[in-house]
Amino acid sequence: MDIVAKPHRLSLANLKFVGISAVIGIATGGVISIFRVLIEHGLQFCTTFYQTIPNHWQNLWLAVPAALILAVIVGLLVRSEPNIRGSGIPQVEAQLGGNLEMNWVHILWKKFVTGVLTNSTGVFMGREGPSIQLGGAVGQGIAAGLKQQGGTRRLSIATGAAAGLSATFSAPLAGTFFVLEGVYRNFQPTIWLSCLTGALCSNFVSENVFGLTPVLPVTYQTLFQPVMYWQLLPLGIALGILGHIYNLGLLNFPAWYSKIKVIPSWFYCAIPLLLVIPIGAYFPATTGGGSKIIMLLATHHYALLLILAWLALRFSFGLVSYGAGLPGGFFMPILTVGALIGTSYGTIMNQLGFLPANLMNNLLIFGMAGCLTAVCKAPFTSIILITELVGSTRNFMSLTIVVLIAYLTADILETQPIYQVLSERLTSVKRYLDSLEATDQIQVPVFGFSEVANQPVRDVKWPESSILITIKRGNLTILPHGSTVIKPGDTLIFLVHKDTVGYLYQELRQMATNQTSELK
């Protein structure tokens, strides 16, 4: 076994990655800031117009044709570039997994235009998914300019994705953790260093445009006391169950849309664009991603029946909006559903005499974190995102308990990570895809009790067309021999053919992370 240790040498490679990541972050921050401004102005205009309809019915003669024209524009753009459909996060995940290639120029302008048009109408979709895909496109464009290839190119795309989420939510840590937990699923130093740098730089740009106020400044004066923690158990269970149902809806609604034969599939987007008109006319507070209704819940007290009605509307029409293939995300819609669940639960407990009214906002916050966890199966991202969105860590203990219970409940129900499933669906037809070079590298972390942990290299049956070339162990670089023992915490680096990156990564990662059958 040959070991090369470099404990005392300054690594300029990381400085290079930081510099490139900063450029990606600044560029992404500028793009997403413009994106946010246009959506906010567009949504304000449409919401104001919708509210004129009950007193001026003739305005329907403007609203309906405008919605149909908009549906044609968005639908044709989606048909010309199918990869801008939906949130865009599954596409980015598939691209980073080596299973999909996208034209960054087409993605950048078409996703930008369709994202602004779609989110401005008030349909129940968010800007965060498109922001992540736009950031990934910016990263890909800069990588193309620098002629990056392989893992370095993918790192630039991932950095752009982290910067996109950071800029749209003013949440740099959540942007970083989203890529680490939801896409790469490991915490390799180069990856988190690049993603964090890009996220911080993009957030710096967005803060100069939108200020330092959190996106959802939900205030509360009283902390949840440990003696009341028992109330978090039923809330976490409810969030896990309803999150599981919402997860299934997101996965199945596109298939239900496909049963509609009277209109072409690219024109399905007309359905939510028309349905949002009466919703905007009679329930204007509910339109858009959901930040308005969250802040209303945080600052006013409403009757339980009204809150439940809003919950039913946001739950159902959110699925209708996403299922049509509109270019928009479901992060914020999920948070809104969670806020309504938390507020409903809090109202019930208050009426039963178990909860004082001044703790209502606490449960609203817990609901957002628990629901996002149940749907996406990304607990750390959920905890950090909600903390940054509301601008406070004072509820950290009780919030984390709800997230844990919601996650375990969803896990018992066999809820699948939504973005991973959607990403796999994108590439299920095509296993081999073109890339930019003949060979590539795959890096996978080794978990304790996996089938390769504590095994000599020669005793592991590695997939064909893969060569283990390096083992990273802390600051050590190990050139493996047959007798080299693989340890938990190692990072294995394989050389593979460029056409096999996608499926070999899945196979190798399963070997290195799954528990052995004796421990299952």
Side-chain angles (χ1 to χ4, degrees):
M1 177 176 67
D2 299 323
I3 300 179
V4 181
K6 303 176 182 179
H8 302 297
R9 294 180 59 186
L10 175 65
S11 175
L12 297 180
N14 283 343
L15 292 179
K16 179 181 178 181
F17 282 124
V18 167
I20 296 172
S21 300
V23 174
I24 294 172
I26 292 171
T28 300
V31 171
I32 301 307
S33 294
I34 298 171
F35 188 63
R36 286 179 62 178
V37 168
L38 292 176
I39 289 175
E40 288 177 4
H41 286 292
L43 182 59
Q44 183 178 3
F45 171 80
C46 288
T47 303
T48 302
F49 181 77
Y50 292 149
Q51 293 179 70
T52 66
I53 292 176
N55 297 321
H56 301 86
W57 285 97
Q58 64 272 20
N59 286 348
L60 276 175
W61 294 104
L62 294 174
V64 172
L68 293 174
I69 293 172
L70 193 62
V72 171
I73 295 172
V74 173
L76 290 178
L77 285 174
V78 171
R79 187 172 70 169
S80 69
E81 179 51 81
N83 287 321
I84 66 173
R85 177 187 299 272
S87 75
I89 297 175
Q91 289 88 336
V92 173
E93 184 167 339
Q95 186 178 23
L96 292 174
N99 291 315
L100 184 68
E101 276 302 322
M102 294 184 285
N103 185 313
W104 70 270
V105 176
H106 291 177
I107 295 295
L108 191 59
W109 80 264
K110 291 182 179 181
K111 189 72 169 193
F112 189 98
V113 171
T114 55
V116 170
L117 294 177
T118 295
N119 285 274
S120 295
T121 63
V123 292
F124 293 1
M125 304 195 77
R127 62 177 186 258
E128 62 290 328
S131 295
I132 291 172
Q133 190 174 24
L134 289 172
V138 171
Q140 184 180 345
I142 292 176
L146 296 174
K147 302 187 184 304
Q148 293 178 340
Q149 296 182 353
T152 305
R153 174 176 177 266
R154 289 197 297 273
L155 183 58
S156 292
I157 296 172
T159 299
L165 182 59
S166 173
T168 199
F169 276 155
S170 296
L173 289 179
T176 303
F177 265 81
F178 172 77
V179 172
L180 297 176
E181 183 182 36
V183 179
Y184 276 99
R185 300 181 181 88
N186 72 75
F187 290 76
Q188 184 183 343
T190 301
I191 297 174
W192 73 254
L193 187 64
S194 298
C195 290
L196 181 60
T197 301
L200 287 172
C201 290
S202 68
N203 187 59
F204 175 79
V205 175
S206 67
E207 283 185 346
N208 276 276
V209 177
F210 300 100
L212 300 177
T213 304
V215 174
L216 295 174
V218 179
T219 60
Y220 53 91
Q221 302 300 323
T222 307
L223 295 181
F224 221 82
Q225 298 301 313
V227 71
M228 305 175 68
Y229 280 178
W230 66 270
Q231 298 189 35
L232 303 178
L233 178 60
L235 174 60
I237 294 173
L239 289 165
I241 294 172
L242 292 175
H244 173 73
I245 296 172
Y246 201 87
N247 178 290
L248 293 177
L250 290 171
L251 294 175
N252 293 323
F253 249 84
W256 295 342
Y257 263 101
S258 65
K259 298 178 181 180
I260 302 175
K261 304 299 182 182
V262 294
I263 58 176
S265 59
W266 63 267
F267 200 55
Y268 288 159
C269 57
I271 296 174
L273 292 177
L274 288 172
L275 289 177
V276 78
I277 296 174
I279 294 174
Y282 293 101
F283 308 100
T286 67
T287 56
S291 58
K292 289 186 297 184
I293 196 170
I294 291 174
M295 293 312 300
L296 284 175
L297 291 170
T299 54
H300 298 77
H301 294 290
Y302 295 98
L304 177 61
L305 288 179
L306 179 59
I307 298 173
L308 292 175
W310 282 348
L311 174 58
L313 178 61
R314 290 291 314 189
F315 199 102
S316 58
F317 191 60
L319 297 177
V320 170
S321 298
Y322 178 78
L326 285 170
F330 47 76
F331 252 56
M332 185 59 78
I334 292 172
L335 297 182
T336 307
V337 168
L340 287 163
I341 295 171
T343 305
S344 300
Y345 177 80
T347 303
I348 293 172
M349 298 301 285
N350 175 252
Q351 292 179 356
L352 293 175
F354 293 121
L355 184 79
N358 60 1
L359 287 175
M360 203 69 67
N361 282 2
N362 301 58
L363 294 179
L364 181 152
I365 295 170
F366 303 160
M368 289 193 292
C371 193
L372 185 62
T373 296
V375 176
C376 300
K377 302 297 288 293
F380 290 102
T381 300
S382 301
I383 293 170
I384 294 172
L385 176 61
I386 299 306
T387 300
E388 291 185 296
L389 281 176
V390 302
S392 175
T393 60
R394 297 175 65 211
N395 257 320
F396 193 81
M397 178 66 177
S398 42
L399 181 146
T400 305
I401 292 174
V402 173
V403 164
L404 177 61
I405 297 170
Y407 183 91
L408 292 174
T409 303
D411 209 45
I412 292 172
L413 296 174
E414 299 184 347
T415 307
Q416 298 300 311
I418 186 70
Y419 292 120
Q420 182 178 344
V421 175
L422 293 174
S423 175
E424 291 172 353
R425 286 185 177 182
L426 285 173
T427 57
S428 60
V429 177
K430 205 173 180 185
R431 195 171 191 180
Y432 299 94
L433 294 148
D434 294 330
S435 188
L436 299 179
E437 62 282 342
T439 60
D440 205 340
Q441 291 185 7
I442 294 175
Q443 301 188 26
V444 294
V446 178
F447 288 14
F449 306 115
S450 66
E451 61 180 277
V452 304
N454 301 308
Q455 296 293 322
V457 170
R458 60 170 172 261
D459 291 346
V460 180
K461 187 176 181 181
W462 303 108
E464 294 183 6
S465 305
S466 67
I467 303 174
L468 177 62
I469 58 173
T470 308
I471 299 176
K472 289 285 188 179
R473 183 174 297 162
N475 291 329
L476 300 180
T477 299
I478 301 173
L479 305 178
H481 293 272
S483 59
T484 303
V485 177
I486 300 169
K487 298 293 185 181
D490 286 351
T491 296
L492 309 182
I493 302 177
F494 295 87
L495 185 68
V496 300
H497 190 270
K498 53 107 176 177
D499 286 337
T500 63
V501 171
Y503 83 91
L504 277 180
Y505 174 76
Q506 297 296 329
E507 188 171 348
L508 289 166
R509 183 177 179 277
Q510 185 174 13
M511 293 175 63
T513 60
N514 282 5
Q515 292 181 340
T516 57
S517 58
E518 290 83 359
L519 295 171
K520 289 182 179 179

